[in-house]
Amino acid sequence: MKTPRTIVVGITGGIAAYKAVNVVRAFVLNGDSVHVVATTAALRFVGKPTLEAISRNPVHTDLYEGVAEVRHVSIGQGADLIVVAPATANTIAKLAAGLADDLLGNTILASTAPLVIAPAMHTEMWNNPATVANVAVLRSRGITVVGPGIGRLTGTDSGAGRMEEPETIVAVALAVLDRQPSAGEAAASAVQDLAGRHVLISAGGTREPLDPVRFLGNRSSGKQGVALAQAALARGATVTLVAANLEVAVPTSVTTVLVSSALEMHEAMTLAAETAEVIIMAAAVADYRPKTVQLGKIKKEDVGDTLTLELVKNPDILAALSAARRPGQQIIGFAAETETDADRLLVLGRDKIIRKGCDYLVVNRVGHASGETVGFGTERNAVTVLDRHGVIVNEVSGSKMSVANCILDVIG
Ligand code: C5P
């Protein structure tokens, strides 16, 4: 059984505070111990009883309560991680200046735990030079800023400033927590090791149309690609996700390009690759597509007992991107294989990295094994990362988030 970690969730006064309830709930369901520190303004948007019931702990707001137990420093000192969601423009300004005029400010200043903030505000406030400068200061201190996304805001307007979805905030925060160096390891600067880098990730499975209603597809859910996007966000990267038919929600603070077929993915990846420093081809791309796409639905009355499909080869996106790679650009491919023998799986991987010409190849086994589906669509994964010489540089089995971090660890 894992030891529960202590997570302090700071909630500040924005309308997105109502969504912070789901952030608190997700940490609790993950088995962590959650303490909410809400500002007075936050409690105008969401009730204390709700937060206490969901967090299963008292909610603190007042700097002058619990003085005998020195609460203004004890909460921060006991935290393994602090997450502020939503973080208003005002709170961000106070954090940048190091102000401690309320319990949350004191808690943060008194803590050495990693800090993750999820900004939420109107677009004009997010773009205001004061906020831009404050966010830059926070990032430079190694604070993880998740979001904001672009989308519908409180009124009828939409734009940048919408709080990232609770699911993503929690995934990013847990990724930050899991990557904390243990005592004796180098300082926490490693946490933001992808700051300022553009990471391009393909995820999901392509669908190759046969007619207006049918396609040839595969079982990829996109979970591993989305976990890579979340892990890269947590490490400070700017992320573009080329998403093919995902079964999971996409973080709103990544730039998402929706595609369906291999040809569409090829076009989107080629365009985004122009500015990407790191490319990860996690998508399951169909090797072949129907030669012709029928304009009308294929009818069995017209076809008879046997339908023969003629397929043509799709472009190999990974091989093409690798061949056109700019100096310094790093490219990671995947090899999802049904081979059950570990040694033969490695041989397949070593052959593949030569054919594809990428820098690293993530080899994993997929398919059905004794009634269990492995790799595709599952919550866990087990991979071996090979370098271009076929040497094993990393190996991990665990959640798709821990696999994602193991993959990102190899990027120099
Ligand atoms: O050849 P195979 O499909 O096993 O290679 C898997 C790797 O190649 C994955 O990274 C996948 O995203 C990529 N791929 C591609 N274009 C294709 C087929 C696979 O980029 N047409």
Side-chain angles (χ1 to χ4, degrees):
M1 228 182 71
K2 74 168 195 171
T3 333
R5 284 99 36 116
T6 300
I7 299 179
V8 171
V9 178
I11 306 179
T12 71
I15 183 68
Y18 80 92
K19 291 201 243 170
V21 176
N22 283 338
V23 172
V24 173
R25 186 169 173 74
F27 285 130
V28 171
L29 292 179
N30 189 51
D32 294 308
S33 163
V34 182
H35 294 269
V36 173
V37 177
T39 62
T40 319
L43 295 184
R44 288 173 172 248
F45 293 96
V46 59
K48 204 171 183 177
T50 307
L51 295 167
E52 293 195 332
I54 300 292
S55 70
R56 304 175 190 169
N57 274 312
V59 170
H60 301 293
T61 307
D62 191 344
L63 191 52
Y64 297 101
E65 259 176 26
V67 175
E69 59 192 71
V70 205
R71 190 173 287 155
H72 71 290
V73 289
S74 62
I75 299 174
Q77 284 171 341
D80 293 308
L81 172 76
I82 302 181
V83 179
V84 181
T88 58
N90 182 53
T91 299
I92 288 172
K94 283 168 47 172
L95 289 178
L99 287 183
D101 62 350
D102 61 7
L103 185 61
L104 182 60
N106 278 269
T107 298
I108 292 171
L109 276 192
S111 179
T112 52
L115 177 61
V116 175
I117 65 163
M121 65 198 74
H122 274 275
T123 308
E124 294 80 359
M125 296 169 88
W126 176 247
N127 290 335
N128 186 290
T131 308
V132 171
N134 290 332
V135 171
V137 166
L138 297 186
R139 284 192 205 275
S140 72
R141 289 186 197 145
I143 291 167
T144 303
V145 181
V146 45
I150 298 171
R152 188 72 192 263
L153 301 173
T154 321
T156 51
D157 49 348
S158 45
R162 185 184 157 87
M163 188 174 86
E164 181 52 273
E165 294 308 319
E167 193 181 43
T168 302
I169 297 170
V170 170
V172 167
L174 293 177
V176 167
L177 187 54
D178 288 344
R179 294 194 61 253
Q180 277 309 291
S182 53
E185 276 186 301
S189 59
V191 168
Q192 292 286 291
D193 59 353
L194 295 178
R197 295 174 82 181
H198 179 196
V199 177
L200 167 63
I201 300 164
S202 71
T206 64
R207 291 179 179 176
E208 308 304 314
L210 279 161
D211 69 12
V213 291
R214 301 185 183 91
F215 56 81
L216 299 176
N218 61 66
R219 294 182 195 276
S220 175
S221 60
K223 284 182 185 160
Q224 185 61 71
V226 168
L228 275 160
Q230 288 167 336
L233 279 180
R235 294 165 80 142
T238 302
V239 181
T240 300
L241 190 71
V242 173
N245 313 299
L246 301 191
E247 286 172 17
V248 281
V250 176
T252 48
S253 43
V254 307
T255 304
T256 306
V257 186
L258 293 177
V259 296
S260 187
S261 66
L263 289 181
E264 287 169 13
M265 179 169 277
H266 186 210
E267 196 181 329
M269 289 299 291
T270 307
L271 190 66
E274 286 174 15
T275 53
E277 278 117 15
V278 177
I279 301 173
I280 308 177
M281 273 298 298
V285 185
D287 290 325
Y288 295 92
R289 66 179 182 279
K291 186 174 181 184
T292 48
V293 181
Q294 301 297 325
L295 288 178
K297 192 176 160 194
I298 301 169
K299 290 197 166 63
K300 53 184 175 297
E301 296 78 20
D302 300 335
V303 176
D305 286 346
T306 312
L307 172 63
T308 306
L309 295 177
E310 195 179 352
L311 304 178
V312 290
K313 215 166 184 184
N314 272 326
D316 190 317
I317 306 169
L318 177 60
L321 293 173
S322 300
R325 150 189 329 94
R326 295 193 314 278
Q329 197 174 45
Q330 298 197 72
I331 305 186
I332 303 177
F334 271 68
E337 304 287 352
T338 50
E339 174 60 64
T340 51
D341 180 86
D343 290 337
R344 284 205 294 267
L345 187 62
L346 266 186
V347 171
L348 286 175
R350 287 181 175 133
D351 286 350
K352 187 158 291 180
I353 197 163
I354 294 168
R355 280 205 311 278
K356 302 273 184 179
C358 50
D359 298 293
Y360 297 99
L361 192 76
V362 181
V363 184
N364 69 327
R365 195 163 73 75
V366 294
H368 295 274
S370 40
E372 181 208 12
T373 308
V374 290
F376 278 10
T378 59
E379 298 306 324
R380 297 172 71 77
N381 210 353
V383 304
T384 302
V385 186
L386 302 179
D387 72 6
R388 55 165 69 231
H389 308 292
V391 175
I392 296 175
V393 288
N394 230 341
E395 233 171 342
V396 72
S397 107
S399 68
K400 288 195 168 173
M401 185 57 89
S402 54
V403 168
N405 273 314
C406 158
I407 294 167
L408 295 177
D409 282 344
V410 304
I411 300 167

